[in-house]
């Protein structure tokens, strides 16, 4: 017989269950479901255009990896493997990859390959990893020792490039006990801060041309004109991901931790007070056409939250990250009729030089398209959501 007391207890248990289910809603899982729905086999942003080896996919798969590590759900690992097997051949060669291009972006998906080698022991993944490691062994450098961004961009270091190579470099060093790599990683981050950091604001300029030949480069400093949000976000994520693997006693760990703390101070100062987000050009919130940008905001969330978790940043930055994370969900995450979530508000690309020429001006940055479900934004949001959850 269901007495009043038992009925009350039952209602209380049901309410607790509903509350737990509500609290367990995972934005990372929801975004991953969208990823695995719209990019079933491998990342393709343009129907009819061949899929290429690209860092965009690597960023997304890092987010999927985080979910696999958190949940143990083998469907996530299987998805990573399927995407990488589209490129990695039985002999370890990588379809569409050309080492002679010396494009630092192409090193980034090596992190996905390192994961697969460590989990499966598949020799083809080890061979593919070694191909990417060999690129770094011969990659062109500035006179000071910094990796060029690409062979087609000689003598240039971009903030983006630190994320594309240094975390892979650090993971490789640990996996294959090549400890001297950590000296080089330290040099890359220190050089990039030295040539890009603005003493007044603490912010970092997008790019640097050692030769001063580019039209976008200041003839005295070699710096590009603006502080682009996503470029700084790449640099921040690179710092925390690389630092995670540094030997505790290596002197570079203290140097990089100090850089991360300086970056956190500057980034927090320019956080939008109302929404918690960051602007595409970070220091110009009131300038017409500037806008709050999703991928940069997600990257800063990831950087700050992970920095706190690893003990590299003071606990106060968790609140900064939490405010931004809620801002992203409120302003950029939308559901469609099928209940899939989509990330709005990501600029598709921003670069320097090239053809047609990108002059690094404010008007140039504002001219690039803002799109839905750009993989750089989606992947960064996945990683941010994993950290916050």
């Amino acid at each position: 017989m269901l007495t009043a007391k038992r009925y009350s207890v039952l209602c209380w248990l049901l309410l607790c269950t509903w509350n737990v289910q509500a609290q367990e809603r995972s934005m990372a899982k929801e975004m991953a479901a969208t990823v695995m729905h719209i990019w079933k086999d491998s990342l393709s942003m343009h129907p009819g255009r061949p899929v290429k080896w690209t860092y965009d996919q690597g960023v997304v798969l890092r987010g999927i990896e985080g979910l696999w590590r958190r949940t143990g759900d083998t469907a996530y690992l299987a998805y990573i493997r399927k995407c990488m097997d589209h490129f990695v051949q039985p002999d370890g060669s990588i379809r569409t990859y050309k080492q002679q291009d010396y494009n630092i972006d192409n090193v980034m998906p090596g992190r996905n390959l390192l994961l697969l080698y460590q989990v499966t022991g598949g020799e083809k993944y080890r061979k593919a990893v070694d191909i990417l490691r060999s690129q770094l062994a011969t990659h062109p450098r500035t006179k000071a020792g910094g990796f060029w961004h690409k062979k087609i961009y000689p003598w240039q270091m971009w903030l983006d490039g630190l994320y594309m190579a240094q975390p892979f470099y650090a993971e490789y060093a640990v996996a294959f006990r090549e400890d001297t790599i950590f000296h080089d990683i330290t040099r890359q981050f220190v050089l990039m801060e030295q040539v890009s950091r603005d003493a007044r604001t603490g912010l970092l300029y997008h790019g640097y041309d050692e030769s001063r030949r580019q039209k976008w480069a200041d003839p005295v400093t070699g710096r590009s004109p603006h502080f682009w949000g996503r470029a700084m976000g790449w640099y921040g994520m690179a710092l925390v991901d690389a630092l995670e693997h540094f030997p505790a006693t290596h002197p570079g760990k203290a140097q990089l931790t100090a850089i991360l703390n300086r970056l956190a101070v500057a980034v927090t100062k320019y956080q939008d007070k109302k929404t918690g987000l960051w602007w595409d050009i970070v220091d110009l919130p009131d300038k017409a056409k500037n806008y709050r940008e999703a991928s940069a905001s997600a990257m800063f969330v990831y950087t700050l939250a992970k920095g706190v978790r690893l003990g590299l940043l003071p606990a106060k930055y968790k609140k900064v990250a939490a405010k931004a994370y809620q801002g992203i969900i409120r302003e950029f995450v939308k559901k469609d009729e099928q209940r899939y979530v989509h990330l709005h508000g990501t600029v598709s690309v921003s670069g320097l030089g090239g053809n047609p020429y990108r002059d690094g001006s404010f008007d140039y940055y504002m001219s690039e398209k803002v799109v839905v479900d750009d993989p750089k934004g989606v992947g960064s949001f996945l990683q941010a959501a994993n950290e916050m959850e």
Side-chain angles (χ1 to χ4, degrees):
M1 181 178 178
L2 187 63
T3 65
K5 184 176 182 180
R6 287 180 177 176
Y7 179 75
S8 297
V9 171
L10 179 61
C11 288
W12 179 79
L13 289 171
L14 286 172
L15 182 61
C16 287
T17 301
W18 290 333
N19 284 338
V20 168
Q21 288 174 341
Q23 291 170 5
E24 284 181 348
R25 183 191 178 192
S26 168
M27 291 306 305
K29 288 182 180 179
E30 291 186 37
M31 186 57 73
T34 300
V35 165
M36 296 165 76
H37 173 68
I38 63 178
W39 297 313
K40 289 183 174 65
D41 299 311
S42 193
L43 188 148
S44 177
M45 292 300 294
H46 306 284
R49 189 179 299 178
V51 176
K52 294 183 178 180
W53 179 256
T54 171
Y55 75 91
D56 301 59
Q57 184 171 51
V59 177
V60 172
L61 295 183
R62 282 289 298 170
I64 299 294
E65 177 190 335
L67 259 177
W68 170 69
R69 292 189 183 279
R70 287 175 52 212
T71 66
D73 188 336
T74 56
Y76 296 127
L77 183 64
Y79 179 74
I80 296 170
R81 188 169 189 174
K82 180 172 69 170
C83 290
M84 288 292 97
D85 282 351
H86 184 80
F87 295 98
V88 180
Q89 304 303 291
D91 64 355
S93 59
I94 304 170
R95 289 181 57 249
T96 77
Y97 167 80
K98 298 177 182 178
Q99 187 174 113
Q100 64 270 25
D101 288 347
Y102 286 111
N103 182 342
I104 206 80
D105 292 345
N106 289 336
V107 175
M108 190 270 142
R111 300 175 73 185
N112 311 133
L113 299 179
L114 272 168
L115 168 71
L116 291 173
Y117 174 66
Q118 290 166 335
V119 172
T120 71
E123 194 59 27
K124 72 173 186 177
Y125 301 122
R126 167 67 194 265
K127 291 177 180 177
V129 162
D130 284 341
I131 288 172
L132 298 175
R133 170 66 184 95
S134 68
Q135 175 182 327
L136 294 180
T138 56
H139 197 95
R141 296 176 183 245
T142 65
K143 294 175 182 177
F147 288 123
W148 289 9
H149 192 61
K150 300 179 184 180
K151 187 168 72 174
I152 61 171
Y153 299 137
W155 308 109
Q156 298 170 41
M157 294 181 73
W158 298 8
L159 293 172
D160 323 25
L162 277 293
Y163 182 78
M164 302 306 160
Q166 302 315 305
F168 166 80
Y169 214 9
E171 289 175 23
Y172 186 96
V174 172
F176 303 112
R177 300 180 181 179
E178 198 175 333
D179 292 346
T180 56
I181 282 175
F182 288 107
H183 300 308
D184 199 13
I185 295 172
T186 301
R187 171 168 54 176
Q188 301 304 317
F189 281 107
V190 169
L191 277 174
M192 191 74 247
E193 191 200 33
Q194 285 175 347
V195 299
S196 67
R197 187 173 185 269
D198 176 61
R200 182 180 64 84
T201 63
L203 300 174
L204 307 177
Y205 290 96
H206 184 178
Y208 164 74
D209 174 18
E210 187 180 59
S211 72
R212 276 68 165 175
R213 294 173 184 167
Q214 291 297 313
K215 295 175 185 176
W216 54 257
D218 183 284
V220 177
T221 67
R223 296 167 173 172
S224 60
H226 286 290
F227 309 116
W228 180 43
R230 187 157 75 220
M232 289 184 61
W234 287 129
Y235 187 76
M237 291 208 303
L239 278 166
V240 293
D241 283 2
L243 276 165
E244 186 174 22
H245 302 283
F246 256 72
T249 57
H250 193 285
K253 184 166 187 178
Q255 289 178 276
L256 269 55
T257 301
I259 292 173
L260 175 63
N261 277 264
R262 287 192 287 271
L263 180 67
V265 169
V267 163
T268 300
K269 185 166 57 175
Y270 286 93
Q271 184 181 34
D272 184 59
K273 289 181 173 57
K274 181 179 179 181
T275 64
L277 303 171
W278 282 272
W279 297 80
D280 188 54
I281 300 301
V282 178
D283 65 325
L284 299 176
D286 299 322
K287 193 170 177 66
K289 296 185 179 180
N290 201 6
Y291 55 91
R292 293 181 290 271
E293 205 275 335
S295 65
S297 297
M299 290 175 180
F300 291 142
V301 168
Y302 177 81
T303 298
L304 297 175
K306 186 169 183 176
V308 171
R309 178 171 63 82
L310 296 179
L312 303 168
L313 290 174
K316 65 181 180 180
Y317 289 111
K318 191 66 181 286
K319 290 184 179 179
V320 179
K323 182 177 181 179
Y325 183 59
Q326 291 305 314
I328 293 169
I329 294 171
R330 187 168 51 248
E331 188 156 327
F332 297 126
V333 178
K334 314 292 181 186
K335 278 193 175 181
D336 64 19
E337 299 81 3
Q338 296 177 284
R339 309 300 292 169
Y340 285 109
V341 298
H342 300 276
L343 185 73
H344 293 242
T346 300
V347 63
S348 58
V349 67
S350 292
L352 298 164
N355 185 22
Y357 197 82
R358 299 167 294 184
D359 64 3
S361 66
F362 178 82
D363 287 341
Y364 158 68
Y365 284 104
M366 295 304 104
S367 73
E368 293 289 7
K369 292 181 180 178
V370 177
V371 299
V372 179
D373 290 339
D374 181 273
K376 298 176 287 295
V378 168
S380 301
F381 177 72
L382 272 170
Q383 294 183 59
N386 281 324
E387 278 298 327
M388 295 307 298
E389 291 173 8

